[in-house]
Amino acid sequence: MAGRMKAAVFYGGKEDCKIEEVSTPKVGEGDVLLKVKACGICGSDARYFFNGNEPRYKKPVILGHEITADIAEVGSKVKEYIKGNRVTVAPIYGCGQCEFCITGQENLCEEVVVFGINTDAGFAEYMLIPEKGVKRGVLIKLDDKVSDKAGTILESLSCVLHGQRKLDIQPGDSVVIFGAGPIGLLHLLVSKKIGAGKVIVVDIVEERLKEAKKIGADHIVNSSNKTWENEIYSYLGKNGTDRAISAAPSLAAVEDSFKVIKKGGKVLIFGGIPKGNTLAMDPNFIHYNEVEILGSVDATIDDFKRTVALAPYFDLDRFISYSYKLEDIKKGMDRIKNKEGIKTIIKIN
Ligand SMILES: [Zn+2]
Ligand SMILES: [Zn+2]
């Protein structure tokens, strides 16, 4: 596949992204080359696009880790895949040797490789999966029932599933989800699927709350109302909720979770919080109430495989609100910045 390809190249400055012709990656004997069909824009891509210059990113970089692709070429040593397989990509793989990797927690590996952060990814016509990634199992074949556009949601869904497995919702548990963006809505889908009882979604954007209702929330609460906390207690009863999920990138979402959690309940801190924020709380709140606080970041390859197996049972197409060509990536980024729609993707081939 020697030649040139179109790619969105990010140079690290604010909105410093150019659509360029670059060399198509060369395929080594253990590598796989993907022809990208569609790639979702993650909140983290938009944050990098508008704010620029996060040190953990290579420079320049091709962003985009939410990928549906066809295999375009396989190296001579690759046996597990053939040209034409339709796949999605688990976008991280670890060193394979550290304490975390050998216990299946490669998301915690210190030397983790993340597509779209420290290696080039999917906002391009082609993308290379290096031998190490192929061997760790990052390429997962897609069921025909999952469309190309739905395939772009699977990475987010895998992260949600990772958090949900930690949160350990029991049949009938009440769940309050703070944040009705794509991540909060996926938490809603999965919570319902695994047997939660009443699920409440909380946000300040009315459009998103309406969407949550359509997707299956039992109750929606606008937290810009001063009475939001009472609304939750009057719906669930005076003890509060069994599980709470902070699914928005804000400290308030974490603090609000503690305001409604039941004694013995579990709080999942899912959304990353901007640097410089500190949580002030009385440790006795955790001690006397036996509240558990859990963290969740990215997903393991095991989570990703489970996600691909679950995907045909969800209506994921409805999550895609906008689709743009690679040349119009800025328009897509603007949709995310303005919190328009649920998910915006780039359609490439
Ligand atoms: Zn993502
Ligand atoms: Zn490792």
Side-chain angles (χ1 to χ4, degrees):
M1 200 64 57
R4 311 284 288 169
M5 67 171 189
K6 217 185 308 168
V9 183
F10 295 77
Y11 285 87
K14 291 180 183 178
E15 299 190 32
D16 190 5
C17 165
K18 296 189 184 74
I19 305 296
E20 292 178 357
E21 289 266 322
V22 300
S23 300
T24 305
K26 287 200 175 59
V27 186
E29 54 183 14
D31 303 338
V32 170
L33 187 71
L34 302 181
K35 182 172 188 183
V36 181
K37 298 181 97 175
C39 186
I41 305 180
C42 182
S44 64
D45 295 326
R47 195 171 60 229
Y48 181 80
F49 179 83
F50 289 110
N51 303 338
N53 225 6
E54 287 184 31
R56 66 195 182 116
Y57 286 74
K58 91 177 184 73
K59 247 178 279 173
V61 65
I62 300 171
L63 300 173
H65 57 266
E66 304 180 346
I67 298 148
T68 308
D70 282 337
I71 291 183
E73 192 178 333
V74 298
S76 56
K77 270 186 6 195
V78 176
K79 297 283 173 270
E80 306 86 340
Y81 305 96
I82 54 165
K83 185 177 172 181
N85 284 154
R86 199 168 66 108
V87 294
T88 182
V89 182
I92 66 169
Y93 62 92
C95 71
Q97 282 148 24
C98 72
E99 176 183 353
F100 303 107
C101 283
I102 59 178
T103 52
Q105 304 175 87
E106 59 273 12
N107 58 322
L108 303 180
C109 173
E110 299 280 347
E111 282 163 52
V112 73
V113 175
V114 187
F115 289 101
I117 291 185
N118 45 25
T119 185
D120 286 335
F123 292 139
E125 289 177 292
Y126 293 91
M127 167 183 172
L128 189 77
I129 307 295
E131 179 172 5
K132 263 191 173 175
V134 176
K135 281 193 171 149
R136 299 274 140 71
V138 302
L139 287 174
I140 302 166
K141 290 174 199 165
L142 270 183
D143 190 297
D144 288 344
K145 290 194 203 84
V146 179
S147 69
D148 289 346
K149 62 179 186 175
T152 67
I153 292 282
L154 300 182
E155 191 272 331
S156 306
L157 187 58
S158 73
C159 298
V160 164
L161 196 68
H162 182 72
Q164 287 270 341
R165 290 174 77 190
K166 291 184 166 241
L167 194 59
D168 193 25
I169 292 171
Q170 297 297 308
D173 273 349
S174 50
V175 181
V176 177
I177 299 166
F178 291 89
I183 292 293
L185 297 178
L186 288 172
H187 272 295
L188 165 62
L189 270 193
V190 177
S191 300
K192 280 293 182 189
K193 191 83 183 170
I194 63 181
K198 289 175 176 163
V199 180
I200 302 180
V201 176
V202 183
D203 202 291
I204 50 174
V205 181
E206 205 53 46
E207 283 308 306
R208 291 194 146 174
L209 286 171
K210 280 190 196 136
E211 202 57 43
K213 189 84 196 178
K214 280 190 225 152
I215 286 172
D218 297 286
H219 195 56
I220 49 175
V221 171
N222 191 321
S223 55
S224 53
N225 291 338
K226 285 204 181 78
T227 56
W228 72 268
E229 225 176 298
N230 289 339
E231 284 178 52
I232 289 175
Y233 278 105
S234 63
Y235 190 74
L236 294 181
K238 67 177 174 49
N239 292 332
T241 183
D242 297 300
R243 300 286 186 270
I245 302 169
S246 157
S250 82
L251 184 63
V254 178
E255 291 169 335
D256 290 349
S257 299
F258 294 122
K259 293 177 184 160
V260 295
I261 195 71
K262 193 183 276 188
K263 288 180 187 177
K266 297 182 202 278
V267 172
L268 177 69
I269 303 180
F270 188 91
I273 314 296
K275 277 206 178 80
N277 284 289
T278 346
L279 187 61
M281 70 183 306
D282 178 357
N284 280 325
F285 174 81
I286 300 170
H287 169 64
Y288 286 115
N289 296 323
E290 293 194 346
V291 166
E292 288 180 51
I293 303 172
L294 303 160
S296 166
V297 64
D298 300 330
T300 64
I301 289 172
D302 179 50
D303 295 315
F304 213 98
K305 287 189 173 141
R306 288 169 191 276
T307 300
V308 171
L310 261 179
Y313 305 99
F314 289 123
D315 175 13
L316 296 174
D317 282 8
R318 66 166 304 149
F319 274 71
I320 312 299
S321 309
Y322 302 105
S323 173
Y324 291 99
K325 291 187 296 190
L326 192 58
E327 291 80 355
D328 293 328
I329 195 163
K330 160 87 168 75
K331 288 183 190 162
M333 295 286 177
D334 283 335
R335 292 285 188 190
I336 312 240
K337 186 166 88 175
N338 301 330
K339 294 188 163 61
E340 290 166 338
I342 307 178
K343 192 79 195 168
T344 296
I345 66 167
I346 303 297
K347 199 93 178 64
I348 298 176
N349 282 300

